[in-house]
Amino acid sequence: MDFGYPQNLSPEILKLYITQEGVRSPFSSKPAEKPVPNATLQVTGAVGWRREGLVYKKNEVFLDIIESVNLLMSSKGSVLRCDVTGKILMKCFLSGMPDLKLGLNDKIGLEKESEIKSRPTKSGKTIELDDVTFHQCVNLTRFNSEKTVSFVPPDGEFELMKYRITEGVNLPFRVLPTIKELGRTRMEVNVKVKSVFGAKMFALGVVVKVPVPKQTAKTSFQVTSGRAKYNPAIDCLVWKIRKFPGQTEPTLSAEVELISTITEKKSWTRPPIQMEFQVPMFTASGLRVRFLKVWERSGYNTVEWVRYITKAGSYEIRC
């Protein structure tokens, strides 16, 4: 604090002031166990978010690419609105002061790399990142000139970057609904959900919420996979599939009986079908980590782990 104003709010530095040990009595004859790391030195140092002298037996880096897909699809199957928001989370257990360099398959970065190395880029899927925000540790001058993400990482877990993508989104699921209103007291609901990702992959915790009118009295189901039930609290047929393999098309058929009311003159508005899911090792944006290089003076070997997860954000299909 400087005249009561906080000068640094970095969690890595603030953690140094919060000690978990008990207070030592001045009458205790035992010497102090270990010196408290000098926080002032860290604040004034070049790398404020990482302290010197960290040592790990096993040097590891964990990289998680977590994406949320937002979709609004018309009842005819055309995409009205679609985007992906993603974040790269890192967990670093590295000794010393390592310098990391991350390579992604983004279009601008690959073009810049081919300019510097004066050779054409390999033809693979490239993506265009729309909005990118970085953690304070990323060297922005180097990113602007070379388009590479280079940084000295904080110790432990942190969010390296956030991004958004609006073009060329790979949708994990396609939903084909047909809802027929048979008179005033009956409805037929047929929903087919197709998984578009690879056959070797699978989605977890898939939930499809199919809306029905408020005056629903009775429902009967047939599903080719998972379980379905009517939830009157949210006026939806809730269809749950615990493990959903790629390239499959499970269907739900339901008959809905309605209470005929005189007061209910308004026609049913048909809210959209909503989906929840999680697809490991799949990215809706097509983002891929091409490389993660670690340099450190002592030249130790590191183990890198990369994981991809795609979740549902607002995934809605009009019916």
Side-chain angles (χ1 to χ4, degrees), residues 246-265:
Q247 302 296 318
T248 55
E249 291 184 18
T251 54
L252 169 138
S253 305
E255 283 199 6
V256 181
E257 288 181 30
L258 309 172
I259 303 163
S260 179
T261 55
I262 303 161
T263 52
E264 200 67 47
K265 294 263 171 76

Side-chain angles (χ1 to χ4, degrees), residues 269-281:
T269 53
R270 293 199 178 199
I273 291 172
Q274 294 179 321
M275 269 193 90
E276 294 168 21
F277 54 80
Q278 201 165 316
V279 191
M281 300 319 287

Side-chain angles (χ1 to χ4, degrees), residues 17-84:
Y17 288 102
I18 304 161
T19 54
Q20 299 298 315
E21 294 83 31
V23 178
R24 200 165 64 89
S25 160
F27 306 108
S28 163
S29 56
K30 268 176 83 179
E33 303 260 319
K34 57 179 182 183
V36 176
N38 190 342
T40 317
L41 188 72
Q42 189 173 334
V43 173
T44 54
V47 184
W49 53 86
R50 186 182 179 89
R51 62 190 168 91
E52 299 258 357
L54 291 167
V55 179
Y56 287 101
K57 279 184 183 176
K58 195 176 180 185
N59 293 293
E60 292 180 298
V61 182
F62 296 87
L63 205 63
D64 283 356
I65 290 93
I66 298 167
E67 293 191 341
S68 292
V69 195
N70 303 308
L71 168 78
L72 180 60
M73 191 179 266
S74 74
S75 53
K76 300 277 189 292
S78 58
V79 176
L80 303 173
R81 191 186 69 238
C82 183
D83 69 272
V84 174

Side-chain angles (χ1 to χ4, degrees), residues 131-295:
D131 311 320
V132 185
T133 49
F134 292 112
H135 186 273
Q136 62 166 359
C137 68
V138 174
N139 186 332
L140 292 177
T141 48
R142 204 161 161 192
F143 179 75
N144 290 333
S145 60
E146 298 174 30
K147 294 295 173 198
T148 56
V149 184
S150 56
F151 54 100
V152 175
D155 188 40
E157 196 171 343
F158 67 100
E159 188 180 278
L160 178 67
M161 64 183 268
K162 280 195 254 188
Y163 59 89
R164 200 168 68 91
I165 281 163
T166 50
E167 296 293 318
V169 176
N170 310 316
L171 294 173
F173 292 100
R174 289 211 165 269
V175 181
L176 306 163
T178 47
I179 295 175
K180 289 179 189 167
E181 294 184 49
L182 309 169
R184 291 181 64 188
T185 57
R186 273 183 67 234
M187 269 176 68
E188 261 184 21
V189 177
N190 287 300
V191 179
K192 184 193 278 185
V193 181
K194 186 180 181 183
S195 50
V196 189
F197 46 88
K200 288 182 181 176
M201 289 192 271
F202 51 84
L204 297 170
V206 178
V207 180
V208 184
K209 292 176 184 170
V210 184
V212 288
K214 260 186 167 45
Q215 66 269 28
T216 298
K218 194 178 163 192
T219 55
S220 58
F221 298 98
Q222 270 188 317
V223 287
T224 55
S225 178
R227 287 178 177 183
K229 67 173 184 180
Y230 167 55
N231 187 338
I234 54 171
D235 298 318
C236 281
L237 307 178
V238 180
W239 179 19
K240 292 183 180 179
I241 302 168
R242 208 172 61 195
K243 195 172 175 180
F244 197 132
Q247 302 296 318
T248 55
E249 291 184 18
T251 54
L252 169 138
S253 305
E255 283 199 6
V256 181
E257 288 181 30
L258 309 172
I259 303 163
S260 179
T261 55
I262 303 161
T263 52
E264 200 67 47
K265 294 263 171 76
K266 284 189 296 181
S267 61
W268 181 47
T269 53
R270 293 199 178 199
I273 291 172
Q274 294 179 321
M275 269 193 90
E276 294 168 21
F277 54 80
Q278 201 165 316
V279 191
M281 300 319 287
F282 172 83
T283 53
S285 64
L287 186 80
R288 282 277 172 272
V289 173
R290 291 189 300 122
F291 61 81
L292 179 65
K293 293 175 182 171
V294 181
W295 285 284

